[in-house]
Every structure is written in structure tokens, then in C-alpha cells.
Amino acid sequence: MQPLPPAPGAVPMAFEDYVKAIYAHTEWQPEPITPSVLATRLGLAASSVTEMVKKLARVGLVTHRPYGAVTLTDEGTALALRMLRRHRLIETWLVRSFGYSWDEVHDEAEVLEHSLSDRLLESIAEQLGQPESDPHGDPIPTADGHVRRPDAVLLQDAAIGHAGAVVRISDRDSDLLRYFASVSLDVGTGLTVLPPTPFSDALCVQLRGGPRLELGAQAARSVWLTA
């Protein structure tokens, strides 16, 4: 079990956003995050991110050596999981209770995750039946910081002939989410990886009970399948 996260309002919102971004970067892949990569992910100047990383290190939320990776401490991980629980529960709530589409919820959740009380958040979780994943397949941490992430393989790394169900789709590109929705590629969709079309760089898949698709590199690195 992770250490107890800080109480609501105990740390600046910027700290919460940073630790959440750091955790999310390595949640589905092993490469550590550096300040320059973090700056790109957050859309901020590298100098601003470097100064913030120093502040996070001073308060014990991260460890960092110059020009090296940024790593969450136990306290930083606990705070990140608390924020991810809030963010992903809110996304699920907006989709299930208010009819939002999965490409619309991220920005709303970014605002609401800092303002809802823990009491209201846990009431929402109870109303939703304590969901284990959000609309994009990302696991929702439990209130005590436990995370259950399924074994999965990135679509671009899957072997030809691999058949599985989609377990996660990255939510970083709203246009891509809308495209996937238009071709009925969703969390839970079954598909098989096909041999490529001659003289094409596209990755080919056959949706179970649906069409054959040719997906570009961005799409292929945004989908995870059961291993």
C-alpha cells in the first residue's frame, strides 16, 4: 500500500499536475521521463519545468539528478495515484451520467479533479459501482492506492496473427479518438493483426465482426491489446 497522499489543498495544484504527468508517462511503457520530455508532455518551456522539478525535489515528491530522469518518491507516487483516481473517475462519470463522448472528457476532468471534495468523489465512485477503468481503458486506482493494470501489448509491437481485445487507447489526441469511434474501434473491441499491404507502411488489422483497417504509426502506438 502506498503512503497516504496529502490532504486536499495541502499542495499546490501545479504539484498535483506534475506528479500525475510523471506517473502517467511510465504507466504503460518503461522509458523514464526527463525534464525535456515532461516539458513537451505538459506544453511548457523547458526552463519552467526544470525549476518546478527542483521544487518537487525539495518537498520530497521526486528525485532528480541534472540531465537525468525524474522519478517519483513514495510520497509523489501516492499523490499521483490520488490525482489519477480523481481524474479517471470524473471522466467515467461524465461519460456514463452526462453523455459526454470519450474525446470530450479530458479537459473537463483536468478542471474538476482539483475541486471536488473527497466525499463527493467517493459518492460518485459508489454510484458508478466502483469502476476499475475509465472510458479509455486506463486503470482507476483504488482509494488506498492499489492499481490493477492488465497485461497488454502495444499494437505496433504485436506480431502478425496476434488476436486480442483492445484494453487501452491513449487519450492524448482527441481527433484520433473521434476517428476510432467512427470505425467502431473501442475498448473491448476484438481484432487480429494482419500481414501488411505490399508497399505500404500502414499496420493492418481486422476488427472482429467489422471492417479491415489500415492504421498509421500514430494510431498503432495509441492502442494496447490483451497480450
Side-chain angles (χ1 to χ4, degrees), residues 108-193:
E108 294 277 13
E110 285 288 296
V111 175
L112 292 171
E113 69 188 35
H114 298 290
S115 57
L116 294 188
S117 68
D118 283 342
R119 179 182 178 184
L120 177 55
L121 188 81
E122 295 311 317
S123 294
I124 290 170
E126 187 66 27
Q127 180 192 59
L128 296 174
Q130 298 294 345
E132 295 185 356
S133 60
D134 72 6
H136 313 100
D138 283 310
I140 298 175
T142 62
D144 63 358
H146 178 72
V147 181
R148 180 184 297 174
R149 185 168 68 84
D151 290 333
V153 59
L154 188 61
L155 178 56
Q156 72 173 8
D157 298 330
I160 294 172
H162 182 94
V166 175
V167 294
R168 191 248 179 174
I169 296 178
S170 172
D171 66 351
R172 291 183 62 79
D173 189 322
S174 296
D175 289 335
L176 186 57
L177 287 175
R178 284 189 284 272
Y179 168 71
F180 284 148
S182 73
V183 295
S184 300
L185 199 162
D186 199 349
V187 174
T189 300
L191 61 80
T192 301
V193 180

Side-chain angles (χ1 to χ4, degrees), residues 4-122:
L4 289 175
V11 297
M13 288 191 299
F15 286 14
E16 296 173 336
D17 290 336
Y18 268 75
V19 297
K20 185 180 68 172
I22 293 167
Y23 182 95
H25 177 80
T26 55
E27 187 174 14
W28 290 89
Q29 58 85 38
E31 290 299 318
I33 193 166
T34 61
S36 61
V37 173
L38 182 58
T40 299
R41 187 178 183 98
L42 294 172
L44 298 172
S47 58
S48 299
V49 171
T50 298
E51 287 305 309
M52 179 60 77
V53 168
K54 291 178 181 178
K55 292 180 182 178
L56 294 173
R58 284 198 293 269
V59 298
L61 294 175
V62 306
T63 58
H64 173 246
R65 290 180 294 181
Y67 310 107
V70 181
T71 305
L72 293 173
T73 62
D74 288 346
E75 290 76 13
T77 299
L79 178 59
L81 291 173
R82 174 179 179 270
M83 297 311 299
L84 285 172
R85 174 172 173 79
R86 298 174 72 82
H87 185 94
R88 292 170 182 176
L89 274 173
I90 290 168
E91 288 191 334
T92 307
W93 182 48
L94 292 173
V95 168
R96 293 193 190 178
S97 300
F98 295 96
Y100 278 68
S101 60
W102 66 346
D103 58 285
E104 297 175 321
V105 293
H106 178 77
D107 289 344
E108 294 277 13
E110 285 288 296
V111 175
L112 292 171
E113 69 188 35
H114 298 290
S115 57
L116 294 188
S117 68
D118 283 342
R119 179 182 178 184
L120 177 55
L121 188 81
E122 295 311 317

